[in-house]
Amino acid sequence: MIIEATAHDFDALLEGTAPRNLRPVADSAIASPDVLRMLADLAGNIRVMFAPAAWLIVEDGELVGLCSVVRPPSDGEIHIGYGVAPSRQGRGATTRAIADLLAWARADPRVQLVSAETGVDNIASQRVLERNGFVQTGERVDEEDGQLICWQAITA
């Protein structure tokens, strides 16, 4: 399940606690403090133009990951990124969260397209997108992340 992430949620995460009475993942962090800070800032900047801008990924009352709009929406397209705590990977939480996000996007008239990118070696993330009906639209090279596969799912 996904729940819209607020500035207060990010504040709690940055303080090392799970927000909203959710249980934290005990054996691994969902993201490093630097990544959480970057995502909080990104969500705050995007939220001014478009909300929701980020979601908590929750499984059975446990906060297991995050999903975010990672650049300002344009012409009905939102571009997402997501991550789940290493100890919770491979259990289907990300696939279910992206399915929930697509259901939300299909109900929101502002969104006609959801895009994402995965590393060429990140097979698990590629399967998450494929299971949710995303199609490959090309590849590109990112200065920081290297070779990426570009994906899209039409929601309109």
Side-chain angles (χ1 to χ4, degrees):
M1 148 173 75
I2 58 172
I3 301 170
E4 181 177 354
T6 66
H8 295 294
D9 296 327
F10 279 106
D11 289 344
L13 290 169
L14 287 164
E15 292 170 5
T17 61
R20 303 180 189 218
N21 296 317
L22 296 169
R23 288 187 330 275
V25 173
D27 52 359
S28 63
I30 60 172
S32 71
D34 288 341
V35 169
L36 288 173
R37 200 168 296 104
M38 181 271 301
L39 291 172
D41 291 345
L42 181 63
N45 290 334
I46 290 175
R47 197 177 293 115
V48 172
M49 302 172 257
F50 186 92
W55 297 266
L56 306 172
I57 300 174
V58 178
E59 289 276 304
D60 299 320
E62 182 179 54
L63 175 59
V64 299
L66 295 167
C67 180
S68 300
V69 176
V70 296
R71 63 178 113 161
S74 175
D75 297 325
E77 177 183 352
I78 62 169
H79 188 79
I80 62 165
Y82 48 86
V84 171
S87 65
R88 298 306 184 263
Q89 293 174 355
R91 299 180 183 190
T94 309
T95 298
R96 289 186 290 278
I98 298 306
D100 290 348
L101 183 127
L102 285 173
W104 163 82
R106 288 184 176 111
D108 190 315
R110 300 172 300 168
V111 182
Q112 286 82 49
L113 182 74
V114 178
S115 61
E117 296 173 333
T118 61
V120 294
D121 296 327
N122 190 343
I123 304 302
S125 191
Q126 293 169 30
R127 297 298 170 261
V128 164
L129 297 176
E130 287 172 343
R131 286 183 192 114
N132 280 292
F134 281 74
V135 295
Q136 291 185 32
T137 59
E139 292 188 11
R140 73 178 191 88
V141 177
D142 181 80
E143 191 174 292
E144 289 182 29
D145 297 324
Q147 190 73 26
L148 300 173
I149 300 172
C150 303
W151 300 83
Q152 291 182 344
I154 297 172
T155 60

